[in-house]
Amino acid sequence: MNEKTGLTSQIKIDPQPLKLSVDTATDWPTVIATMMVGVGSILTTLLVGWLSHANQRSQIRSATANFRHGWQVDLRQTTARFLSVVAKIHFEYDTNPEYSNSKESNKDYSDLIENQAMIELMLDTSKDYTPAIIGHLEKIIQMLRSRDVSGLTEQSNKLTSRVNKVLEQTWDDIRRDLGAKLKS
């Protein structure tokens, strides 16, 4: 109460929420900076995704090339072992008349058949070269069993030549897997 006027004053609070409105201009530099950050984030994400995809494809090609190389090495070694046993048997026939009845002969033929089977199992039956290679292997074994070795060197050379072509094609496939340009 005011002593001079005798009036009392009251403050009345309205239960309605207080509404505050501030009218300011748009801060365009902040809006543009925020948009640039957003677009930059999107582009960075896309770039990282693309690089990850490219890296994964490269790793797959590298793994495929490693697999082909391992197959190539195995085919080369197994063919060399096969031809080595062929040469040993041929040499034994020429120098030892009792060779065909010996235990050594049985072991050599067993090694020969094992290497033949390994070569055949390594080949893709859908490839054009497979029947020719199998034919050379069988003909060589047939020549040794019949002791008609007059064309054995020629047959061994044909086998070697055919396997070399397969190995060269595999080498081209390896280079292609790794992204190398092939000579035309």
Side-chain angles (χ1 to χ4, degrees):
M1 182 162 161
N2 189 343
E3 292 179 9
K4 290 184 183 180
T5 61
L7 296 175
T8 53
S9 62
Q10 291 182 343
I11 297 179
K12 200 173 194 185
I13 299 178
D14 192 7
Q16 294 290 328
L18 183 62
K19 293 182 184 177
L20 182 61
S21 176
V22 178
D23 191 20
T24 61
T26 303
D27 187 7
W28 286 110
T30 303
V31 170
I32 291 172
T34 303
M35 279 180 37
M36 288 176 62
V37 167
V39 170
S41 295
I42 291 170
L43 292 176
T44 301
T45 302
L46 290 174
L47 180 63
V48 167
W50 180 80
L51 288 173
S52 295
H53 177 71
N55 187 37
Q56 184 178 25
R57 287 179 46 120
S58 175
Q59 288 175 348
I60 289 170
R61 285 193 310 267
S62 178
T64 302
N66 284 336
F67 176 76
R68 286 185 203 271
H69 182 261
W71 178 86
Q72 186 184 42
V73 167
D74 290 345
L75 181 61
R76 182 181 294 115
Q77 289 175 344
T78 307
T79 303
R81 280 194 305 268
F82 177 85
L83 291 170
S84 175
V85 175
V86 167
K88 182 178 189 286
I89 293 171
H90 183 232
F91 175 77
E92 291 293 338
Y93 278 150
D94 286 348
T95 60
N96 182 359
E98 298 299 316
Y99 172 72
S100 61
N101 296 324
S102 69
K103 285 186 179 184
E104 185 180 1
S105 169
N106 291 338
K107 182 189 177 327
D108 290 342
Y109 271 101
S110 176
D111 289 347
L112 188 69
I113 299 303
E114 179 184 359
N115 285 305
Q116 175 197 15
M118 287 180 66
I119 292 168
E120 289 182 15
L121 289 171
M122 290 170 57
L123 298 175
D124 183 350
T125 57
S126 67
K127 298 292 185 178
D128 294 337
Y129 56 75
T130 299
I133 291 174
I134 291 173
H136 292 305
L137 294 168
E138 290 174 351
K139 188 153 187 166
I140 289 170
I141 291 172
Q142 177 186 11
M143 293 171 91
L144 288 173
R145 282 191 178 146
S146 67
R147 294 188 192 169
D148 178 18
V149 293
S150 58
L152 187 63
T153 301
E154 179 185 350
Q155 224 24 256
S156 295
N157 288 341
K158 285 181 180 180
L159 173 64
T160 301
S161 176
R162 185 65 73 154
V163 170
N164 273 336
K165 286 179 184 176
V166 172
L167 294 172
E168 288 171 13
Q169 178 59 46
T170 303
W171 180 241
D172 287 344
D173 293 342
I174 290 169
R175 290 187 3 228
R176 192 175 303 110
D177 289 340
L178 296 174
K181 302 241 188 242
L182 300 177
K183 295 178 184 176
S184 298

